[in-house]
Every structure is written in C-alpha cells, then in structure tokens.
Amino acid sequence: MQEDEFTETTDWLTNTERILTIVGTWPKNKTNLRFILSLVYMTIFVVMQWADFVSHIDDLQELADILCETVVGTMVVIKLLVFHKNRVLSKMIDAVNQDCENNKLHFSPSEKRKYALCNSKGKTFVKIFTFFVGATCVFYYLKPLPITVLAANRNGSTSLVLPFRTSLSFERTDVYVYAVLYVCQMGALLQIFFGYVGTHALLITLMMHICGELSVLSERIVNIKKQMEKGHRCEIQKIITRHLRLIWMAKEIDTAFTVFLLSQVICSEIMICVAGFNMIVSTRISDAVYDCAWYEMPPSQAKDLILVMARSQKPLHLTAGKVFVFSLEIFSEFVKTSMAYLSVLRAMT
C-alpha cells in the first residue's frame, strides 16, 4: 500500500469536516452562526414534537408512533451540543493528522498494508451506512406524498400529512400553508442525515486509525527480536511509547463520545421497544374478537370469527432471507454462535 492510504485517511477527515460544518458541529469550527441556527431550529422542532407527544398522552398506540420520531430529533440536538467546539475531539483530530504525516515516513510497506486493511473496513462501513441513512431519510420524507395524492384522487379532499408529526397552533387546511410546512421540515431531515452520518463517520475514522496503529504495533512486537539483532536497541522503548500514546488516544475518544454513545444506546433501545410493541399489538386481535359480543351474533357469523381468532394466534415478525426470525431468542443464539466461533479462532491462533 502506498502513502496514498494516509492521504485517504486525512481526506476522510476532510469530508467529515465538510459534512459536520454544514450543521455547525465540526469540533474545530471557529464560527458559531451555523451552530446557533441549527440548534435553534432543531430545538424548536423537537419541542413541537414533544408537545405533540404530550397531546396524545391518552393514546398508547399514538404515543408509540410519535416517540420514534421524537427520539431521533432529540438525538440530533444532543449531537449538536456534544460535538460543537469539543476540545477533546479537536485534539484527537490533530493527533490523527500528525500520525498520518509521521507514518508516511516511518511505516514499512507491510505496515502500510496492515494500516490500510483496517481503514478500508471503516470506509466500507461508512459508505454503506451513508447509503442506508440517506435512502431512509428520502423515503421517509416522501412517504406522505402518495397518501396525499391518492386521497385527493379518490374523494377530492386532501389528507395533509407531514413527514414529521409536530404540534401546530393552527390548522393546516390550506394547501399552500401545507406546502410551506412540508418544505420547512426538509431542514429537520437534513439535520438528521448530516448529524447521523457525520458524527458516526468521525467516530469510525478515529477508531479505525487506532485499530490500524495497533495492528502495526502488533507486527512490530512480533518482529522485535529481529530488530534488536540488527542493533535497534531502543525498539522496545519506541513500542512502549507508541502503545501508551494509543491508549491515551483511545481513552480520550471514549471521553469525547461517552455521552453520544449513551444517548445512542438509549435511542436504539426505545426504538426497538416501540417496534416490538407494534408487533405485539397484532396479538390483541384475538382478545378483541373474544370481547366483541360474538354470543349475540347469529351462529353462522360467529363461526367466521373463529378464523380471525385462530390466525391472530400466529405472531407477525420480520425475517432475514425468509430463514431467520428477528426475535430475542434468535439474537441470543447468534451471540452464542459468534462466541463459539471466536473461541475456535482464538484456539487456532
């Protein structure tokens, strides 16, 4: 691998800088205007989302649907606050740039290949992640349009549904007002996209840099005897110094991202919980059939409800390739299988 690999690492940091600068969250950003505009916009947007959440406090199903959107918007606000002028992240970005410049001169060809292998995995993940986040944002934003068009074609009236549910102090019955609101919500969509892609890209870039450095350090430790035979007596000291630096960088990154990762875990848990709740709600069909006063119906009609009750006993689920069902049991089995494979690989190395 040529020196271009280190250039690509710094280029990835530059691309991440461009993304996060759009929303004013680049840690080394010297201006506050974009950050203030983004923070004010998203704060107002999230407050309106939570207001809509509170207004449906008596409807559990509505609360579950609104909560997913509200949590995502809240996450963006947290990221704005965590990343803006973060001194630790700024220091880590400078450290990575410095390492890349030094490694161009001091890494051997084999060490450059090891470093490149780790970074290529990170870049591939970021590309896939960006594609899926972008596709999800676009489809989610355009989802209300077919509903609006179909409703207008069927009965002449328009169902004015916005991409994000927010509490408004006025009725959106006018088509022009609806169009303005629809366009305004594009700002939230862009904030979500750039916020999620940019912050995760920065985290992965920093992590893959450390992983690549550790991989190179491992190779140097393996070859330390050969180096000492060549008269490089201070090689052990260099390895220890480098190891301590990488440990310091890892701890600093943990400090910088700890709040971000905590909020991400909580957000993911809430969304998984809501998704599970929506799947469980279908199992209440059986109870609804039982409570619908079927005993007062003609026998021929009451018998038809038995089919509905029987089918409702089979839960709805998501599958992977029509083979694996997404469930807690299958997830536990995957974890056990992965640990078993890991044990085999550890025994072989």
Side-chain angles (χ1 to χ4, degrees), residues 297-322:
M297 299 180 183
S300 59
Q301 296 180 5
K303 290 180 180 179
D304 293 337
L305 292 176
I306 296 177
L307 298 176
V308 178
M309 183 180 292
R311 178 58 184 86
S312 65
Q313 299 299 318
K314 183 180 180 181
L316 302 175
H317 52 249
L318 300 176
T319 62
K322 302 297 182 180

Side-chain angles (χ1 to χ4, degrees), residues 56-348:
H56 293 83
I57 199 68
D58 296 329
D59 190 336
L60 187 59
Q61 182 63 55
E62 287 291 325
L63 288 180
D65 295 336
I66 299 172
L67 186 59
C68 287
E69 293 183 3
T70 306
V71 166
V72 172
T74 304
M75 274 292 301
V76 175
V77 175
I78 294 174
K79 291 177 180 181
L80 285 170
L81 296 173
V82 170
F83 277 73
H84 179 64
K85 290 190 176 180
N86 190 307
R87 295 182 180 179
V88 177
L89 280 177
S90 178
K91 185 165 43 177
M92 290 301 99
I93 293 169
D94 292 336
V96 171
N97 287 324
Q98 181 182 355
D99 287 346
C100 289
E101 291 297 324
N102 294 335
N103 295 340
K104 289 180 183 179
L105 303 175
H106 299 100
F107 274 12
S108 66
S110 62
E111 291 174 344
K112 291 179 180 179
R113 285 193 294 270
K114 281 186 171 293
Y115 181 86
L117 180 61
C118 289
N119 280 272
S120 64
K121 295 177 181 178
K123 288 183 287 187
T124 301
F125 179 83
V126 171
K127 291 177 181 178
I128 296 174
F129 178 77
T130 302
F131 171 78
F132 280 106
V133 172
T136 301
C137 289
V138 170
F139 286 126
Y140 197 88
Y141 184 74
L142 299 178
K143 180 183 66 174
L145 292 181
I147 300 174
T148 302
V149 173
L150 290 176
N153 291 335
R154 287 177 179 175
N155 53 27
S157 61
T158 304
S159 179
L160 303 181
V161 181
L162 292 172
F164 300 100
R165 300 185 58 168
T166 55
S167 178
L168 300 172
S169 59
F170 55 89
E171 295 292 334
R172 52 176 184 269
T173 55
D174 185 82
V175 175
Y176 296 103
V177 174
Y178 169 73
V180 172
L181 292 174
Y182 205 104
V183 173
C184 288
Q185 288 199 351
M186 183 181 292
L189 183 81
L190 294 176
Q191 291 273 7
I192 292 171
F193 174 75
F194 290 125
Y196 272 81
V197 171
T199 53
H200 285 83
L202 179 58
L203 173 61
I204 293 170
T205 301
L206 297 177
M207 288 176 56
M208 289 301 103
H209 171 74
I210 293 178
C211 290
E213 290 275 0
L214 288 173
S215 179
V216 171
L217 191 64
S218 299
E219 180 175 328
R220 290 185 177 180
I221 293 174
V222 171
N223 299 324
I224 190 172
K225 187 174 183 298
K226 296 179 181 180
Q227 296 294 328
M228 294 183 67
E229 290 175 353
K230 294 179 181 179
H232 299 165
R233 299 296 181 183
C234 61
E235 191 65 24
I236 294 180
Q237 182 179 355
K238 291 181 180 179
I239 290 175
I240 294 175
T241 302
R242 192 62 186 170
H243 191 206
L244 290 174
R245 175 178 170 81
L246 294 176
I247 292 174
W248 168 76
M249 291 181 67
K251 290 182 177 180
E252 290 293 291
I253 292 175
D254 174 62
T255 301
F257 282 92
T258 184
V259 176
F260 162 74
L261 293 176
L262 175 62
S263 59
Q264 190 72 54
V265 169
I266 296 175
C267 173
S268 301
E269 288 183 350
I270 292 175
M271 297 184 73
I272 292 174
C273 177
V274 171
F277 171 77
N278 289 330
M279 299 294 289
I280 292 173
V281 167
S282 63
T283 62
R284 296 182 179 178
I285 297 295
S286 178
D287 297 335
V289 171
Y290 184 80
D291 295 333
C292 71
W294 53 268
Y295 44 83
E296 297 179 358
M297 299 180 183
S300 59
Q301 296 180 5
K303 290 180 180 179
D304 293 337
L305 292 176
I306 296 177
L307 298 176
V308 178
M309 183 180 292
R311 178 58 184 86
S312 65
Q313 299 299 318
K314 183 180 180 181
L316 302 175
H317 52 249
L318 300 176
T319 62
K322 302 297 182 180
V323 178
F324 300 107
V325 177
F326 281 99
S327 64
L328 179 59
E329 292 78 12
I330 295 298
F331 175 75
S332 300
E333 290 298 325
F334 279 153
V335 172
K336 292 179 182 178
T337 303
S338 300
M339 291 301 101
Y341 289 151
L342 177 61
S343 299
V344 173
L345 292 175
R346 287 176 61 88
M348 293 173 61

